[in-house]
Amino acid sequence: MRIDLEPRAGRSLALDIGAPAGALAFAILLGGIVVWLLGKSPAQAFMVYFVQPLMEGWSLQEVAVKACPLVLIAVGLSFCYRANVWNIGAEGQFVIGGLCGGWLGVVTHGGAGQGAIGGWWIVPAMLLLGALGGALYAMLPALLRVWLGVSEILTSLMLVYIAELGLDYLVRGALRDPKGFNFPQSVTFDDAARLPFLAEGERLHAGVALALLAVAAAAFVFARSRFGFEVRLVGEAPRAARFAGFSDARLTIAVFAISGALAGLAGICEVSGQIGQLVPTISPGYGFTAIIVAFLGRLSPFGILLAGLVLALTYIGGEAAQVALKLPNDMTRAFQGILLMCVLMADAAARYKIRLVSGSGA
Amino acid sequence: MDVLNGQTSIPLLSMRGIVKRFGAFTANDHIDLDARSGEAHALIGENGAGKSTLVKMIYGLLQPTEGTIAVAGEEVRLASPREARARGIGMVFQHFSLFDNLTVAENIALVLPPREGMAGLRARIAAVSERYGMPLEPDREVWSLSAGERQRIEIARCLLADPRLIILDEPTSVLTPQESLRLFETLDRLKGEGRALLYISHKLEEVRRLCESATILRLGKKVGGCDPRAESPRSLAALMVGAQIAEIRAPGERAPGPERIVVENVSILSGEIHGVGLDHVSLSARGGEVVGIAGIAGNGQAEFFEILSGERLAGGDAFIRIDGVPCGALDITRRRLAGAAFVPEERNGHAAAPEFSLSENLVLSRHATAGIVRRGLIDYDRARQLAQAVIAAFDVRKAGPDPAARTLSGGNLQKFVIGREILSQPGVLVVNQPTWGVDAAACAAIRQALVDLAARGAAVLLISQDLDELFEICDRIAVMRQGRLSAPLAVRGTTREEIGLLMAGAAPGETPSHAH
């Protein structure tokens, strides 16, 4: 007995939409079993996770705010993954982006550098520094791969821990608030160093608009530009891409730069828009969750927007479930892992027919 | 080994009403076939006619959707190759499955039951090799052997199981003309012992030489049977294709133009163990000329193509000039800008991206030369127009206005790929195996297009394994063997035999030790 995977003749729209939707439904079912094994009511958990956050205005905004970093990062990752470049380290690029941009927030604390020209330049400069920091940090795995053939999967993943510990070190050391009673955190940023809110008194900050902008820009690049054509071609048929005259090395560096920059931008948006200071941990794993978002969205920008909202829901619902059902926070991460497995399986099922063959064959 | 019974009235293999469907696609549609002991039966048809599907059912690799298979009058169900072998059916595949780093004897031992010792096996290999005139050295490692020698291992493996019916799938596709003749002698002896042969080929001369009967398939249906000895190659071809094939209009006398591509002193090391590098290869072609590069696959042609296209750069003292532009250090895009165009061997995944539409595939090779990219943005309307021009000029048959490349048949996709390059009006065109796996009509159209391009003043370099093709359209032919390129010979002053000897590694005028 063996299992054969036969490529399907064509890709249909029904399968393209049905596969991720089916994967989500199946993951919810499996998640329900886990909840049931924990001795809680799966139906109640479903309500808390997936229905209640959608019922109120404030929690809807909260979903959008959580989706913002996920979408920004996942749009960047879609460039890498479409080109068969495996950047697993968006979490690290997120942290470095937050750190670089956040540094400016720390040094301009208390009106420093805002005298003659005012503070209008601080937020744009922070965003720029964040994107730049993320992109440069992503150059480490990119250049190692291009020059020495080192697997970018390992290097980008390992660099996450270096980034996290680096932030931790600085927040306890050089960037610590001198008047903060030795708590490991920086000064809180001036208002001039905070991302503006989209509307007065609401929770939606300008990062949400940036995420939407990134989705639209990525869709345009994939559909119309030669660069988007290159990325799609390299992923689809690498030999044909070489025949087309596109350089592997240049493309690897470019997609790492884009995804690093977007992850860094997400990092500084989180620090400047949500947290308002540097703390030892600025991400609940957005960089890893965004990998799920990218695949659930089938690496297409608008798909990623939808998938980002779904995964954001699991964060919001997870917090609510801790309170309402006393479910552990690990449940959220377990569910995200289950979801990724289901998405990958559904992808395989959408691309191949699975056949059981009896006998040993030739 | 037993001497088998002579001819009997019951066919050794009898297939009735065989149907094989893959989803909505019918690969074999009610096919009857008989193979008799002591005879060679030819299965002929173009690529995609359903030959391979049919023999896979005989060898137990596939099961028919409908119909019956009988061996020696007894109806059987062949669920696996093991069951087919137990019924006395053996198969020699077109692509060898041998381990390069093992010896001949070890490769054979791998497929036999483990009870036999190596000493006994060596004796049996020696016996088979002597009986059928197939020299085999049991202790040679496979990587050091030629394609013909490797094929002998496959045949010996098959014969050690003492089959009554032997299926041979395009066995001469990797052989030189001389090696093919030796193979036919072996096959004649097998027939003489009363074994049945089922011989798959689209080389009609061979079929006429070897086979007593034939089944002709076209588009999955049996369109006739015949005695090939009573037919001419043209009449067989007409049966196979269902129409008369246009003959190539000879280019006529052309005054050779200026040298358009010059290659000097290209040497590269192979990246792979047992792979082939290139050894001081030099060649030039003038405008108006088709220069052929003959040789058995795997002798450095793929590497040479990559060097010519710039997908791989030759270092050292190598020198490449395209229309006066030194190109040795330029990438493929810059070589295209210098006026060259390239058609690689593999259509799907190299010349074209299967999931991309035809207009996107046009962008693939012409983005730098066709004025369709402005400020980094692709003008897809213009790309579609250019793709339509290719489709119209080369009669590319397809479903829908701009379908994915993968939905086209091999011949139609190849016409698109070649048309895409020819309509860019190149001064130099390098093509690798342009008609491999292409139906006869498309094949004739492609060869005609290459001849016409040369007639308009371009230089065409044609890398091909197909001697018929080379002799049909080339002005000069050079032979590539183990990474070395012979001096080109004028087609009018040479013969297939002479080229065949060069392919086998003998200098012209010298007889290789094993040729007859």
Side-chain angles (χ1 to χ4, degrees):
Chain A
M1 182 71 88
R2 67 171 197 272
I3 299 170
D4 268 8
L5 294 179
E6 282 180 9
R8 282 185 196 272
R11 291 177 64 174
S12 68
L13 191 63
L15 270 177
D16 272 359
I17 296 169
L24 182 59
F26 192 62
I28 289 175
L29 193 75
L30 288 181
I33 292 174
V34 176
V35 169
W36 176 70
L37 289 173
L38 289 170
K40 314 281 179 184
S41 153
Q44 217 177 343
F46 181 80
M47 289 298 287
V48 171
Y49 263 93
F50 293 102
V51 181
Q52 279 166 11
L54 298 176
M55 304 304 278
E56 286 176 69
W58 70 267
S59 61
L60 276 174
Q61 287 197 23
E62 207 58 34
V63 168
V65 167
K66 285 267 192 254
C68 162
L70 293 175
V71 170
L72 272 173
I73 300 168
V75 164
L77 289 178
S78 73
F79 281 87
C80 287
Y81 296 165
R82 282 217 192 183
N84 280 337
V85 172
W86 302 104
N87 178 9
I88 308 297
E91 179 81 357
Q93 294 140 26
F94 178 97
V95 168
I96 294 296
L99 178 61
C100 290
W103 165 80
L104 190 62
V106 172
V107 297
T108 55
H109 172 68
Q114 300 173 33
I117 50 170
W120 57 269
W121 58 276
I122 295 177
V123 165
M126 284 170 84
L127 294 178
L128 200 68
L129 276 177
L132 209 61
L136 286 176
Y137 201 60
M139 283 305 100
L140 291 172
L143 294 175
L144 282 170
R145 151 119 179 224
V146 168
W147 286 340
L148 300 171
V150 180
S151 162
E152 76 279 17
I153 298 176
L154 289 175
T155 48
S156 62
L157 178 62
M158 293 306 147
L159 284 166
V160 171
Y161 305 111
I162 295 175
E164 285 177 343
L165 292 171
L167 172 68
D168 191 276
Y169 172 76
L170 288 173
V171 170
R172 290 170 201 278
L175 297 179
R176 188 179 57 189
D177 180 1
K179 296 179 194 141
F181 308 104
N182 259 348
F183 278 111
Q185 57 190 34
S186 75
V187 293
T188 51
F189 301 161
D190 288 2
D191 278 350
R194 298 295 305 268
L195 269 187
F197 289 101
L198 290 178
E200 203 57 43
E202 303 285 353
R203 301 269 306 131
L204 290 180
H205 57 70
V208 176
L210 284 177
L212 290 174
L213 202 66
V215 167
F220 179 79
V221 166
F222 279 130
R224 291 291 316 280
S225 76
R226 188 183 61 187
F227 178 72
F229 183 83
E230 274 187 65
V231 172
R232 289 192 294 132
L233 186 59
V234 165
E236 165 67 31
R239 266 189 98 189
R242 266 197 298 286
F243 180 65
F246 300 146
S247 145
D248 249 3
R250 214 191 42 163
L251 194 73
T252 301
I253 290 173
V255 294
F256 255 111
I258 289 172
S259 76
L262 285 173
L265 192 62
I268 186 57
C269 283
E270 188 69 11
V271 168
S272 167
Q274 277 280 90
I275 306 172
Q277 65 186 142
L278 285 173
V279 291
T281 304
I282 60 173
S283 165
Y286 286 137
F288 295 117
T289 308
I291 297 172
I292 308 172
V293 172
F295 280 105
L296 186 62
R298 307 222 92 187
L299 305 182
S300 100
F302 294 108
I304 284 170
L305 184 58
L306 278 179
L309 291 169
V310 170
L311 267 297
L313 203 53
T314 65
Y315 277 118
I316 306 293
E319 282 165 17
Q322 284 182 65
V323 179
L325 299 174
K326 306 272 182 294
L327 274 171
N329 192 34
D330 294 334
M331 181 63 217
T332 303
R333 304 192 76 157
F335 176 76
Q336 289 177 353
I338 291 170
L339 180 58
L340 178 63
M341 293 303 293
C342 291
V343 169
L344 294 179
M345 284 191 288
D347 247 15
R351 222 171 283 174
Y352 300 98
K353 266 185 238 170
I354 295 158
R355 236 170 30 118
L356 291 177
V357 183
S358 60
S360 59
Chain B
M1 219 174 282
D2 300 327
V3 175
L4 303 159
N5 296 327
Q7 186 164 349
T8 55
S9 56
I10 302 171
L12 179 63
L13 173 79
S14 177
M15 303 177 89
R16 287 291 169 266
I18 295 290
V19 177
K20 179 66 186 178
R21 293 196 190 90
F22 298 100
F25 174 69
T26 306
N28 286 161
D29 190 358
H30 293 93
I31 289 173
D32 298 341
L33 182 147
D34 288 328
R36 292 175 188 281
S37 298
E39 283 190 4
H41 185 91
L43 192 54
I44 53 187
E46 296 195 62
N47 286 292
K51 295 171 298 191
S52 297
T53 306
L54 192 66
V55 295
K56 279 182 183 164
M57 288 187 278
I58 303 172
Y59 195 55
L61 286 165
L62 293 172
Q63 280 70 47
T65 316
E66 285 172 31
T68 58
I69 300 175
V71 176
E74 183 194 347
E75 195 172 307
V76 293
R77 206 185 141 272
L78 302 166
S80 71
R82 196 185 309 153
E83 286 176 36
R85 285 195 291 266
R87 297 272 174 187
I89 298 170
M91 182 157 175
V92 177
F93 289 90
Q94 183 179 3
H95 300 287
F96 307 142
S97 42
L98 299 171
F99 291 93
D100 278 353
N101 284 326
L102 298 185
T103 65
V104 172
E106 286 165 343
N107 264 288
I108 292 175
L110 276 174
V111 297
L112 295 176
R115 56 188 126 86
E116 194 167 14
M118 281 304 269
L121 181 63
R122 264 200 199 85
R124 281 179 62 194
I125 293 172
V128 164
S129 108
E130 186 181 353
R131 182 165 177 172
Y132 300 103
M134 302 190 300
L136 277 173
E137 296 169 62
D139 295 323
R140 278 280 286 277
E141 290 188 0
V142 166
W143 63 266
S144 66
L145 301 179
S146 73
E149 291 167 313
R150 290 177 198 215
Q151 186 175 54
R152 280 180 224 146
I153 306 172
E154 293 273 2
I155 295 174
R157 274 213 295 217
C158 177
L159 287 176
L160 285 173
D162 198 15
R164 291 183 289 172
L165 169 69
I166 302 169
I167 306 167
L168 296 127
D169 189 359
E170 304 262 4
T172 59
S173 62
V174 293
L175 303 186
T176 64
Q178 287 80 4
E179 284 177 322
S180 300
L181 287 178
R182 287 180 69 80
L183 172 68
F184 293 147
E185 284 170 22
T186 300
L187 297 182
D188 280 337
R189 287 191 208 187
L190 291 170
K191 265 199 310 190
E193 288 180 334
R195 298 180 206 273
L197 302 180
L198 188 57
Y199 190 82
I200 304 170
S201 184
H202 61 258
K203 294 188 183 170
L204 305 171
E205 287 288 359
E206 291 175 359
V207 168
R208 293 180 60 224
R209 151 84 176 69
L210 185 73
C211 300
E212 286 82 9
S213 58
T215 295
I216 298 151
L217 299 184
R218 193 193 313 150
L219 298 174
K221 290 200 175 78
K222 177 174 175 175
V223 293
C226 66
D227 180 346
R229 293 166 302 184
E231 302 279 340
S232 72
R234 277 196 78 74
S235 66
L236 276 177
L239 279 170
M240 187 167 99
V241 181
Q244 292 291 335
I245 298 302
E247 277 191 61
I248 305 291
R249 291 188 306 279
E253 283 305 315
R254 290 170 301 211
E259 276 189 333
R260 302 202 77 161
I261 179 163
V262 179
V263 180
E264 276 167 20
N265 222 3
V266 168
S267 293
I268 55 168
L269 290 173
S270 165
E272 293 161 42
I273 197 168
H274 309 326
V276 181
L278 294 174
D279 187 1
H280 296 91
V281 172
S282 299
L283 184 70
S284 71
R286 296 175 174 280
E289 197 181 32
V290 181
V291 176
I293 295 164
I296 298 158
N299 272 290
Q301 295 97 323
E303 291 77 5
F304 189 46
F305 179 87
E306 288 187 336
I307 292 290
L308 291 174
S309 70
E311 288 166 278
R312 181 166 170 183
L313 296 181
D317 304 328
F319 177 76
I320 299 171
R321 198 173 66 219
I322 293 170
D323 265 346
V325 182
C327 285
L330 301 187
D331 65 12
I332 188 167
T333 302
R334 293 215 186 86
R335 292 183 196 201
R336 287 189 177 118
L337 289 169
F342 309 94
V343 180
E345 176 178 7
E346 184 65 41
R347 292 183 279 280
N348 277 310
H350 194 178
E355 296 292 334
F356 279 32
S357 70
L358 291 182
S359 58
E360 287 176 312
N361 271 300
L362 187 119
V363 176
L364 194 152
S365 76
R366 289 178 62 189
H367 57 86
T369 53
I372 44 181
V373 178
R374 247 172 250 129
R375 282 196 226 104
L377 296 184
I378 296 173
D379 182 349
Y380 277 110
D381 287 335
R382 174 115 181 88
R384 263 189 291 277
Q385 285 165 14
L386 288 170
Q388 286 307 322
V390 174
I391 289 162
F394 284 81
D395 185 28
V396 177
R397 312 279 171 85
K398 57 184 177 50
D402 194 13
R406 131 186 95 64
T407 62
L408 270 65
S409 73
N412 280 306
L413 182 55
Q414 188 70 6
K415 282 197 284 185
F416 179 82
V417 165
I418 294 206
R420 174 180 77 185
E421 305 306 331
I422 284 183
L423 288 198
S424 74
Q425 308 287 355
V428 174
L429 179 67
V430 183
V431 287
N432 191 4
Q433 318 287 0
T435 57
W436 171 248
V438 164
D439 61 273
C443 187
I446 287 167
R447 288 174 190 169
Q448 185 68 58
L450 296 178
V451 169
D452 292 347
L453 180 70
R456 291 197 297 271
V460 177
L461 280 186
L462 167 62
I463 302 172
S464 179
Q465 290 184 69
D466 186 339
L467 283 184
D468 295 339
E469 173 169 270
L470 291 165
F471 274 87
E472 193 172 4
I473 66 173
C474 291
D475 300 283
R476 293 188 293 149
I477 300 177
V479 176
M480 184 160 269
R481 182 171 181 279
Q482 291 184 354
R484 292 206 182 87
L485 191 66
S486 76
L489 302 170
V491 164
R492 287 195 189 133
T494 187
T495 59
R496 270 153 226 258
E497 285 63 39
E498 196 177 356
I499 298 293
L501 288 177
L502 285 168
M503 285 161 70
E510 171 194 325
T511 312
S513 57
H514 63 275
H516 287 244

